[in-house]
Amino acid sequence: MAKFKSSQIEETIHLHGKWRRQFFNAFAGGNYADMPLSEHRSCTLAGALEAHNAPPELIALHLRFHALANEITTLSQNGLGDAADLLLPELSENAHQLAAALDQLRD
């Protein structure tokens, strides 16, 4: 598996992690209105992964992360916070898998 040079996509990975933490913190605090929703819809990590020929499994993990975030956001915005909360463990597990896979690609 090819390694990414830290300088190439490190900032993109950092921004993704920062957004992920904000997302989880907003849910933990019950501050659904304060969730950073739009940022993940314009995520630049997907493009960086593709540009660096990331393994398809990593790209799929990333896509699943955003699909879950979208579903959680939609449920919350439609007053279904309890249903959204039920998806948080899956999102958390996916986020850990994604972080581990990204760490493997770093120098």
Side-chain angles (χ1 to χ4, degrees):
M1 183 178 337
K3 297 274 187 190
F4 293 151
K5 294 197 184 295
S6 295
S7 62
Q8 290 176 318
I9 66 167
E10 189 64 35
E11 182 62 19
T12 304
I13 293 170
H14 171 74
L15 290 173
H16 196 273
K18 180 180 174 184
W19 181 87
R20 176 183 42 84
R21 287 186 298 278
Q22 289 173 334
F23 189 85
F24 280 113
N25 288 340
F27 266 96
N31 300 318
Y32 301 127
D34 295 334
M35 286 188 300
L37 304 177
S38 62
E39 287 89 350
H40 92 96
R41 293 187 178 118
S42 60
C43 180
T44 58
L45 183 56
L49 292 174
E50 289 179 14
H52 290 89
N53 297 317
E57 300 82 16
L58 176 55
I59 292 171
L61 275 173
H62 182 245
L63 290 173
R64 180 67 182 146
F65 175 86
H66 284 288
L68 286 165
N70 269 329
E71 190 170 353
I72 289 168
T73 300
T74 299
L75 288 168
S76 297
Q77 290 174 335
N78 289 315
L80 301 170
D82 289 343
D85 288 345
L86 294 175
L87 292 175
L88 289 175
E90 184 178 353
L91 182 65
S92 180
E93 176 62 26
N94 175 274
H96 289 297
Q97 291 173 355
L98 179 59
L102 289 169
D103 284 344
Q104 288 179 356
L105 293 175
R106 290 176 164 155
D107 286 338

